[in-house]
Amino acid sequence: MKKILLIIVLVFSPSHFLTFSPLFAQFRINNSSDSPMRKLQYAEMAISNLYVDSVDEQKLVEDAIRGMLDKLDPHSTYSTPKEVKDLNEPLNGNFEGIGVQFNMLQDTLMVIQPVTNGPSEKVGIIAGDRIVSVNDTAIAGVNMSKEEIMKRLRGPKGTKVNLGIIRTGIKDKLFFTVVRDKIPMKSVDATYMIRPGIGYIRIGNFGAQTHEEFVESLEKLRNEGMKDLILDLQENGGGYLKAAVDIADEFLRQGDLIVYTEGRSTQRSEYHAHGNGRFTTGKVVVLVDGYTASASEIVTGAIQDQDRGLVVGRRTFGKGLVQRPIDLPDGSMIRLTVSHYYTPSGRCIQKPYTKGEGKDYAMDMVNRLKSGELTNVDSIHFADSLKFETLREHRTVYGGGGIMPDYYVPLDTTIYTRFHRELAAKSIVIQSNLRYVDKNRKNLKKRWESFADFKQNFEVPQSLVDEIIAEGKKQKIEPLDEAELEKTLPYLRLQLKALIARDLWDMSEYFSVFNESSEIVKKALEVISQ
């Protein structure tokens, strides 16, 4: 009883949250005998003292908190201290470790690329190296989980870790002592000139460093002659509100409304552009899909409603609930929904949901596919009550949850066959690609010094495709017929070429290859060239 009382006092005590929000000053704990609070205390006390078997009180309290939150909206959640750390790390913009991009080849960690100027690159670790031991503990051939390996490689800045490495062409094992450091986690996935005068930037999430990375990307592309921009927010699940506001600010004029929030117990709060944006002229096209959510919907909605640019793709996810983090004494956290996000025209970004029905909410994308929304624009119908107008050109846009694009691009469900999906699910494609690059890295780098040359002329060798098909057969994964195989091969070859480009260069080159076949990107190029 004391534990649960302590938690509730800390959550609602005005003194504990004085600097967090004056809102908490209105709360008073009701200790009357018939209050819900007292009822909860009695239940916890009865279970912990009288139940037939021993119980874990900590878990009991956590389950009670989760039970309460489960009856609310789909985005109010409870996280343990470890979950809080894991959730925050990608958004904080860095972690402390050795600085390598890696993948697992069978049961061995293989370096894809060392982080530029990172601690591993500084001591001479190169792409293709296999890390087989960490501080005299073998990590290869011992069925160690990826999480356990990462735990051993990461550590506080300034600490040392001894790595044993096998390198192709070198007979003996190599040993390196790496001094761990802060390693940046990039949220801008790709930056490149997709056509003369047209830049392309893809943002994977909105973290603490995203705005700074975005500005760097803008300047890089400007120096390469960019006049117009394609901003790719496909599969961007969101992140920090501030990062989204700062990026939208780069496109808008002084005073332009970016987004506002409002809730039952929270007053309307507005975010406006400051007028010193770095890209206030030039065409903008934003790319979105059904996994574009939250902070990325804020950017998209602001650009669309302020008639600053056009949106291409499919209706976004529709995550427009604002969570307030409530830190608990043991490092755990409640993220409680307190308000809604609204676009400048007044559209609520949040799609409809039923409280406590998380399963239906989670099945939304499947339901969109079944209804035909993802494959046929004629399947999409909006009530007149959902019509809104953009603020300058008074174009019709629609509410009802998510951002509906100005130019709809249907999902091609035939390009990614069942056979390809099963090969990918068993990691056959990625493993075969890793082996191919590892075996041929030196020759590939020598032959393809220029990415432009690679992109135009490289063809995936038939031997690599044959290896994938043969491995699939070993694992009882085969095409249903010759027609399915023929449908699979073009996209499989494209995927392999993009992966090889990533392994030889970086993610910008990966997307540069892939985007040439993307219908959404093709439509964006058409729109921006009008």
Side-chain angles (χ1 to χ4, degrees):
M1 184 176 76
K2 289 181 180 178
K3 286 185 180 180
I4 200 165
L5 179 60
L6 175 62
I7 287 177
I8 295 173
V9 168
L10 283 168
V11 170
F12 294 109
S13 166
S15 61
H16 183 70
F17 278 99
L18 189 60
T19 58
F20 185 76
S21 171
L23 181 67
F24 284 92
Q26 67 182 278
F27 293 115
R28 295 290 182 274
I29 295 176
N30 182 353
N31 276 318
S32 63
S33 60
D34 60 346
S35 75
M37 168 74 173
R38 180 68 74 182
K39 185 176 181 179
L40 187 62
Q41 292 172 344
Y42 279 136
E44 195 277 339
M45 182 173 64
I47 294 169
S48 60
N49 285 280
L50 301 176
Y51 184 64
V52 61
D53 297 318
S54 62
V55 295
D56 182 337
E57 285 192 74
Q58 181 69 27
K59 188 175 184 302
L60 198 65
V61 170
E62 289 181 352
D63 289 345
I65 295 171
R66 285 196 173 98
M68 288 187 284
L69 295 174
D70 283 347
K71 299 301 180 183
L72 304 178
D73 64 277
H75 297 291
S76 288
T77 58
Y78 169 81
S79 301
T80 65
K82 183 182 184 303
E83 290 168 342
V84 171
K85 182 178 182 297
D86 292 343
L87 286 169
N88 287 337
E89 195 169 75
L91 297 178
N92 287 338
N94 59 67
F95 64 93
E96 295 176 345
I98 66 169
V100 293
Q101 298 175 38
F102 71 90
N103 217 319
M104 300 302 294
L105 182 57
Q106 277 88 41
D107 58 357
T108 303
L109 184 154
M110 190 173 82
V111 176
I112 300 298
Q113 294 284 352
V115 173
T116 303
N117 295 322
S120 288
E121 186 186 65
K122 288 177 180 177
V123 300
I125 292 173
I126 62 174
D129 282 350
R130 292 168 169 77
I131 301 177
V132 296
S133 65
V134 179
N135 291 334
D136 298 325
T137 299
I139 64 170
V142 293
N143 294 321
M144 189 177 289
S145 69
K146 188 174 179 179
E147 291 73 21
E148 181 63 26
I149 291 172
M150 290 177 66
K151 182 179 176 182
R152 291 174 183 275
L153 294 175
R154 293 184 179 183
K157 176 181 177 180
T159 58
K160 294 180 180 180
V161 59
N162 298 311
L163 304 179
I165 283 177
I166 298 295
R167 179 173 297 170
T168 302
I170 304 296
K171 182 180 179 181
D172 298 324
K173 186 191 294 187
L174 303 174
F175 294 92
F176 296 89
T177 298
V178 180
V179 180
R180 296 183 179 100
D181 203 347
K182 283 194 175 296
I183 309 300
M185 295 184 70
K186 297 289 187 181
S187 54
V188 172
D189 292 334
T191 302
Y192 71 98
M193 294 296 294
I194 192 168
R195 294 291 186 273
I198 303 174
Y200 170 93
I201 299 175
R202 181 183 176 101
I203 302 177
N205 63 62
F206 288 91
Q209 307 299 322
T210 305
H211 179 239
E212 181 181 328
E213 292 176 39
F214 179 72
V215 170
E216 290 176 3
S217 294
L218 279 181
E219 294 306 311
K220 177 182 183 294
L221 295 178
R222 269 220 175 106
N223 291 335
E224 296 176 11
M226 178 183 68
K227 304 297 181 187
D228 304 318
L229 175 67
I230 294 175
L231 177 62
D232 192 346
L233 299 180
Q234 294 178 87
E235 300 181 9
N236 183 320
Y240 289 149
L241 169 63
K242 184 180 185 305
V245 168
D246 287 346
I247 286 175
D249 196 354
E250 297 294 346
F251 296 99
L252 303 177
R253 296 181 294 190
Q254 185 173 9
D256 282 351
L257 179 61
I258 296 172
V259 66
Y260 68 91
T261 63
E262 196 168 21
R264 178 179 66 87
S265 298
T266 56
Q267 295 181 343
R268 175 167 168 150
S269 179
E270 298 184 351
Y271 298 83
H272 294 265
H274 294 98
N276 55 357
R278 294 170 175 83
F279 201 78
T280 55
T281 60
K283 296 177 183 178
V284 179
V285 172
V286 184
L287 310 186
V288 299
D289 63 11
Y291 298 100
T292 301
S294 191
S296 51
E297 292 175 290
I298 290 171
V299 175
T300 306
I303 289 174
Q304 187 180 55
D305 280 7
Q306 294 292 356
D307 289 299
R308 177 62 188 89
L310 296 169
V311 181
V312 172
R314 293 179 287 277
R315 181 166 65 98
T316 62
F317 184 84
K319 197 278 187 184
L321 298 175
V322 185
Q323 280 75 49
R324 176 168 292 173
I326 300 172
D327 296 313
L328 301 180
D330 63 348
S332 59
M333 175 191 291
I334 292 173
R335 293 178 59 82
L336 187 67
T337 297
V338 295
S339 55
H340 290 89
Y341 288 121
Y342 295 87
T343 72
S345 67
R347 293 180 287 167
C348 180
I349 292 173
Q350 179 61 41
K351 62 188 175 187
Y353 62 90
T354 302
K355 289 181 179 179
E357 298 295 330
K359 288 184 179 179
D360 287 345
Y361 190 81
M363 293 294 289
D364 180 56
M365 294 307 298
V366 174
N367 293 333
R368 291 190 198 187
L369 182 61
K370 288 180 179 178
S371 71
E373 176 186 331
L374 300 183
T375 55
N376 190 343
V377 70
D378 294 333
S379 300
I380 305 171
H381 304 285
F382 292 98
D384 288 343
S385 60
L386 298 177
K387 286 185 177 180
F388 290 77
E389 286 189 348
T390 60
L391 301 184
R392 287 189 168 78
E393 298 177 9
H394 305 291
R395 297 181 299 115
T396 298
V397 289
Y398 294 94
I403 306 296
M404 188 67 191
D406 301 297
Y407 293 89
Y408 170 85
V409 179
L411 175 68
D412 186 350
T413 57
T414 65
I415 192 172
Y416 195 44
T417 65
R418 174 209 58 85
F419 178 48
H420 194 167
R421 284 196 302 273
E422 291 188 12
L423 288 172
K426 291 287 188 177
S427 299
I428 293 171
V429 176
I430 190 71
Q431 291 289 315
S432 296
N433 172 77
L434 286 170
R435 282 193 295 269
Y436 171 76
V437 174
D438 183 46
K439 183 178 178 181
N440 299 282
R441 185 182 301 275
K442 186 180 291 186
N443 291 334
L444 286 167
K445 281 187 169 289
K446 184 178 179 180
R447 169 62 183 87
W448 305 104
E449 294 181 5
S450 161
F451 171 69
D453 184 18
F454 173 92
K455 183 178 177 181
Q456 183 173 346
N457 297 307
F458 177 82
E459 292 185 6
V460 173
Q462 184 62 38
S463 59
L464 176 55
V465 176
D466 291 343
E467 178 187 328
I468 290 171
I469 294 172
E471 183 60 34
K473 189 173 183 178
K474 282 183 186 175
Q475 299 192 37
K476 296 183 170 46
I477 300 171
E478 298 184 68
L480 295 174
D481 49 34
E482 192 65 24
E484 185 180 32
L485 178 61
E486 290 304 311
K487 283 183 180 180
T488 299
L489 291 178
Y491 196 64
L492 175 61
R493 289 181 184 277
L494 177 72
Q495 182 186 18
L496 289 167
K497 183 172 180 177
L499 287 169
I500 293 166
R502 179 205 65 182
D503 292 353
L504 296 180
W505 288 280
D506 210 335
M507 290 303 293
S508 290
E509 288 74 18
Y510 172 91
F511 283 106
S512 181
V513 171
F514 239 128
N515 284 341
E516 294 303 314
S517 71
S518 165
E519 294 302 321
I520 289 180
V521 173
K522 288 178 184 178
K523 186 65 178 180
L525 288 168
E526 176 189 323
V527 168
I528 210 167
S529 299
Q530 291 174 353

